[in-house]
């Protein structure tokens, strides 16, 4: 009699990597504790992927939590994301690659605590993604802190006397909350409490993926899952706890199922081709001409400060843009209060021959102070050997500093005499370029042409620049 | 009197457990209604008592497979029809 023939019915799913490369002695094993529900959920997800024949299309988003290493196991597209952000990243992936099947795998700390905003809005927008929500009622990875899903009375490291509803609120029923929204097409809660429940979980996961494949919109399966380690139970006891206790708190079943009647969502509009983007954003992509002069070792740290409305930010922008056009490395960082006019504002500008490390200017070598409070506030920060231009008749008695050149000129009044006090900032720019000539006039003029919108103001600013420059040159020649 | 040996009863299924991958959680043992699985007294290289099949009596229902959290610890085979 011939040997009876047996064929493999159930084994390691095809979309798992043949070997896991995280650690040499864990190449055949997951990193999960014995009896952990993540392993079972992985197997169910893997089988559904294989059965639906979508391995080549799946992009799996790994969360933060015990399942952070998901990407070591699944031979699919993988992205690992910041805590709680999985469904937001899944949204982006799906919109950028509508043909992909995007699965956001998240724990209950990840999804129901730090990521509660992301999941709510992804569901409400009906994003065509599938979320596998593994609810073990605890933060596993970090050692057992209370999650929003923790049962009332459960002792955790953050509820040592047991979860108390008056202090900690009630277990959050994510599936029910999300089912109150219009967006989702499929939501079901399942459990891993015995093989029968596990087989039902498998069906639900498959259905959720089918909803996405059909383009019906947001689908989610909440999996009540054992965490024997943190629950301090052996695996069989933890499984019983899921079956008997968790399912009492969290009723099983489909909460939303529109698979039969929902119409596919329209595909997102195709994005514009990459080449089009600079034009759409009105960005000038012409390469800036190489610097005519070689400003080897230039390292200007400029602080410009004044009242809102004095053109402080525009002045900084002009310097930065002219520098950029001249082939320098530049940065411009505005800093202002919520008010549009009055209030104070300042900006940080860096001009350098080498790449700028930080846009912050804490120790300026140039201070442009449009008013006295700004002079007083920032003068102590100016580096030795620095230059300070102050918008005033004279430097206040107590604002002289050895080793720092502080010059007062009535920039606003000078501007007023040629047309408008508002051009005081440009008069100041002219003076700066006379005393510290690091940028060619034509680059400043180019930046002015770009940033000043009306012809009248452009003419006034050109005159203001010349006025400031000449006045400062005259001052220098008197000194000389 | 002539006696005819009854043909040996052929099991409908078979289960294979990789003792080095198994973590000894016992969920497969719990899942098997026919009680043909048990945890071994021996320990594997990670210090777990792996599950073992008693060698006969499996009907290939695969409930143990679905209960098992380790993707490659346990395989179920079915008798060819
Ligand atoms: C921004 C941020 N905050 C906090 C943490 C710490 N942290 C890591 S995992 C985790 C909770 C994980 O719990 P859950 O999502 O339930 O997953 P489990 O480990 O139970 O599978 C927290 C709070 C972090 N990594 N990043
Ligand atoms: S701590 Fe809990 S959730 Fe994390 S691997 Fe262990 S059993 Fe699983
Ligand atoms: S396949 Fe069924 S009968 Fe065979 S060992 Fe597994 S649970 Fe028991
Ligand atoms: S369920 Fe899997 S890991 Fe657990 S004892 Fe059985 S074979 Fe081993």
């Amino acid at each position: 009699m011939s040997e009876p023939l047996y064929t493999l019915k159930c084994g390691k799913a095809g979309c798992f990597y043949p070997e896991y490369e995280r650690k040499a002695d864990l190449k055949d094993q997951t990193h999960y504790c014995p009896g952990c529900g993540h392993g079972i959920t992985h197997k169910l997800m893997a089988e559904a992927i294989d059965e639906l024949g979508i391995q080549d299309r799946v992009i799996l988003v790994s969360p933060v939590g015990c399942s952070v290493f998901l990407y070591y196991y699944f031979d699919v597209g993988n992205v690992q994301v910041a805590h709680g952000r999985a469904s937001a990243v899944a949204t982006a992936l799906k919109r950028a690659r509508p043909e992909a099947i995007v699965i956001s795998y998240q724990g209950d700390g990840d999804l129901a605590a730090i990521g509660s905003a992301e999941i709510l809005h992804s569901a409400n927008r009906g994003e065509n993604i599938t979320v596998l929500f593994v609810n073990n009622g605890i933060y596993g990875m970090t050692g057992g802190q209370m999650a929003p899903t923790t049962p009332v009375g459960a002792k955790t490291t953050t509820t040592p006397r047991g979860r108390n509803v008056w202090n900690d609120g009630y277990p959050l029923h994510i599936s029910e909350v999300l089912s109150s929204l219009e967006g989702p097409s499929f939501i079901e809660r399942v459990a891993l409490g015995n093989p029968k429940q596990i087989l039902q979980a498998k069906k639900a996961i498959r259905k959720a993926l089918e909803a996405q494949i059909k383009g019906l919109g947001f689908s989610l399966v909440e999996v009540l899952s054992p965490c024997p380690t943190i629950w301090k139970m052996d695996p069989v006891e933890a499984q019983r706890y899921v079956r008997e206790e968790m399912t009492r708190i969290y009723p099983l079943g489909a909460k939303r199922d529109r698979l039969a009647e929902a119409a596919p969502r329209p595909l997102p509009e195709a994005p514009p081709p990459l080449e089009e983007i600079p034009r759409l954003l009105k960005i000038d992509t012409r390469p800036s001409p190489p610097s005519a002069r070689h400003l080897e070792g230039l390292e200007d740290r400029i602080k410009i400060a004044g009242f809102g409305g004095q053109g402080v930010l525009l002045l900084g922008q002009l310097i930065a843009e002219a520098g950029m056009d001249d082939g320098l490395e530049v940065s411009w960082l505005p800093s202002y209060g919520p008010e549009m006019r009055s209030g104070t504002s300042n900006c940080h500008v860096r001009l350098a021959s080498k790449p700028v490390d930080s846009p912050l200017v804490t120790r300026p070598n140039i201070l442009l102070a449009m008013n006295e409070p700004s002079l007083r506030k920032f003068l102590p920060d100016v580096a030795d050997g620095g230059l300070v231009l102050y918008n005033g008749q004279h430097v206040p008695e107590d604002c002289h500093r050895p080793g720092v050149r502080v010059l007062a000129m009535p920039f606003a009044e000078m501007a007023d005499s040629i047309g408008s006090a508002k051009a005081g900032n440009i008069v100041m720019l002219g003076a700066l370029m006379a005393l510290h000539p690091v940028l060619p006039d034509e680059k400043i003029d180019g930046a002015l042409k770009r940033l000043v919108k009306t012809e009248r103001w452009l003419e006034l600013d050109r005159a203001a620049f010349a006025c400031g420059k000449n006045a400062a040159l005259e001052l220098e020649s008197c000194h000389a | 009197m002539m006696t005819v040996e009854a043909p040996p009863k052929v099991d409908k299924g078979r289960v294979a457990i990789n003792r080095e991958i198994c973590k000894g959680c016992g969920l497969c043992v719990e899942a098997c209604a026919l009680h043909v699985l048990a945890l071994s007294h021996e320990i594997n290289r990670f210090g777990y008592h792996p599950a073992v099949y008693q060698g006969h009596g499996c009907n290939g229902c695969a409930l143990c497979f679905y209960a098992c959290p380790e993707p490659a610890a346990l395989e179920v085979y079915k008798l060819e029809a």
Side-chain angles (χ1 to χ4, degrees):
Chain A
M1 204 179 107
S2 63
E3 269 289 296
L5 210 62
Y6 290 90
T7 49
L8 185 64
K9 181 185 178 200
C10 292
K12 187 173 169 182
C15 65
F16 283 118
Y17 284 113
E19 289 191 343
Y20 315 134
E21 67 168 37
R22 193 172 76 88
K23 279 189 174 170
D25 56 356
L26 281 184
K27 62 186 173 46
D28 300 313
Q29 249 182 347
T30 65
H31 67 288
Y32 298 112
C33 309
C36 174
H38 279 302
I40 300 175
T41 310
H42 287 17
K43 282 175 64 175
L44 300 180
M45 173 165 74
E47 287 204 343
I49 292 171
D50 283 0
E51 287 172 16
L52 294 166
I54 52 174
Q55 182 180 3
D56 290 346
R57 293 168 67 192
V58 169
I59 304 178
L60 186 54
V61 184
S62 313
V64 168
C66 282
S67 50
V68 64
F69 292 141
L70 206 53
Y71 54 88
Y72 277 110
Y73 305 128
F74 282 84
D75 186 4
V76 297
N78 286 287
V79 181
Q80 198 283 319
V81 302
H83 203 21
R85 310 297 177 245
S87 48
V89 174
T91 296
L93 290 166
K94 185 69 185 188
R95 289 189 179 196
R97 296 238 182 281
E99 72 290 351
I101 301 301
V102 180
I103 306 175
S104 176
Y105 187 107
Q106 305 183 249
D108 49 331
D110 190 85
L111 181 145
I114 192 169
S116 51
E118 283 77 1
I119 193 65
L120 188 72
H121 295 291
S122 307
N124 192 43
R125 294 189 305 265
E127 295 295 342
N128 192 25
I129 60 173
T130 300
V131 179
L132 286 192
F133 169 39
V134 178
N135 178 0
N136 57 18
I138 198 82
Y139 292 5
M141 183 197 202
T142 42
Q145 296 77 10
M146 188 197 92
T149 42
T150 297
V152 174
K155 288 191 174 147
T156 71
T157 60
T158 44
T159 56
R161 282 163 300 197
R163 182 176 186 167
N164 170 345
V165 296
W166 307 118
N167 200 52
D168 315 312
Y170 295 85
L172 195 54
H173 290 73
I174 289 289
S175 289
E176 284 79 358
V177 169
L178 298 184
S179 298
S180 72
L181 305 172
E182 272 312 306
S185 68
F186 181 80
I187 295 177
E188 181 167 338
R189 184 183 288 118
V190 297
L192 305 181
N194 59 29
K196 189 170 167 229
Q197 291 184 339
I198 293 169
L199 288 170
Q200 179 58 32
K202 182 183 158 176
K203 274 192 208 148
I205 291 172
R206 195 182 147 131
K207 258 181 133 175
L209 286 169
E210 279 168 347
Q212 183 179 170
I213 293 168
K214 290 183 182 153
L216 305 184
F218 187 89
S219 54
L220 176 142
V221 178
E222 175 173 349
V223 183
L224 302 180
S225 174
C227 171
T229 303
I230 303 290
W231 294 358
K232 299 190 179 68
M233 295 180 190
D234 72 45
V236 173
E237 213 186 330
Q239 193 182 55
R240 184 201 57 79
Y241 186 83
V242 168
R243 187 174 62 243
E244 291 172 12
E245 304 299 328
M246 296 267 291
T247 55
R248 275 201 297 127
I249 308 168
Y250 295 108
L252 301 185
K255 313 286 166 183
R256 167 69 53 83
D257 186 349
R258 293 189 178 158
L259 248 63
E261 74 269 20
R265 283 162 62 88
L267 283 181
E269 242 178 83
L274 215 53
E275 314 77 79
E276 276 288 281
I277 288 173
R279 196 185 57 79
L280 292 171
L281 297 177
K282 300 192 173 69
I283 295 170
D284 187 354
T285 51
R286 281 168 301 173
S288 40
S291 181
R293 294 147 313 113
H294 216 60
L295 290 171
E296 202 58 64
L298 180 72
E299 239 259 73
D300 274 346
R301 302 176 307 281
I302 308 172
K303 179 69 125 297
I304 309 168
F307 292 130
Q310 282 185 313
V312 161
L313 303 186
L314 176 65
L315 176 50
Q317 225 178 333
L318 282 167
I319 296 174
E321 293 215 0
M324 192 160 67
D325 291 346
D326 199 29
L328 293 169
E329 301 283 341
V330 306
S331 67
W332 172 75
L333 181 73
S335 152
Y336 43 84
E339 53 283 88
M340 289 296 284
R341 291 276 176 264
S342 75
T344 57
S345 73
N346 69 67
C347 69
H348 309 225
V349 175
R350 295 194 57 176
L351 284 184
S353 44
K354 293 218 184 86
V356 171
D357 50 4
S358 154
L360 221 56
V361 173
T362 46
R363 205 125 181 79
N365 67 329
I366 293 171
L367 171 63
L368 306 180
M370 296 295 289
N371 59 26
E372 193 177 324
S374 299
L375 176 67
R376 291 189 181 281
K377 182 166 178 199
F378 294 113
L379 182 62
D381 297 341
V382 176
D384 284 340
L387 170 67
V388 178
L389 296 186
Y390 165 57
N391 173 33
Q393 288 295 347
H394 51 261
V395 180
E397 253 339 287
D398 54 341
C399 285
H400 290 284
R401 246 189 70 188
V404 173
R405 185 169 183 208
V406 187
L407 268 176
M409 290 173 82
F411 297 109
E413 282 171 34
M414 291 158 75
D416 200 31
S417 69
I418 60 165
S420 168
K422 280 193 179 168
N425 57 343
I426 311 296
V427 180
M428 194 182 235
L429 177 60
L432 177 67
M433 287 302 127
L435 303 170
H436 184 74
V438 292
L439 296 170
D441 283 2
E442 73 271 16
K443 302 294 179 198
I444 303 253
D445 199 63
L448 268 175
K449 270 198 273 188
R450 236 184 357 255
L451 293 171
V452 178
K453 301 293 179 207
T454 70
E455 202 52 38
R456 190 177 81 82
W457 274 103
L458 182 59
E459 283 320 309
L460 185 64
D461 283 341
R462 281 177 169 152
F465 183 78
C467 162
K469 190 161 181 179
N470 294 335
L473 287 174
E474 226 167 88
L475 195 81
E476 282 291 77
S477 63
C478 295
H479 272 274
Chain B
M1 196 170 91
M2 213 172 76
T3 57
V4 180
E5 242 181 87
K9 197 166 167 282
V10 180
D11 290 331
K12 281 197 263 169
R14 230 181 228 187
V15 55
I17 295 160
N18 182 319
R19 54 168 279 149
E20 294 306 331
I21 297 179
C22 168
K23 287 177 175 163
C25 68
L27 292 178
C28 56
V29 178
E30 185 74 10
C32 180
L34 300 181
H35 308 293
V36 297
L37 301 174
L39 291 183
S40 166
H41 292 294
E42 292 168 17
I43 58 170
N44 66 11
R45 71 190 160 128
F46 291 114
Y48 296 128
H49 293 283
V52 284
Y53 174 42
Q54 71 176 23
H56 54 87
C58 169
N59 69 4
C61 71
L63 294 183
C64 55
F65 173 81
Y66 285 101
C68 175
E70 272 303 317
L74 188 154
E75 289 172 337
V76 174
Y77 292 79
K78 262 224 124 140
L79 183 66
E80 283 284 282

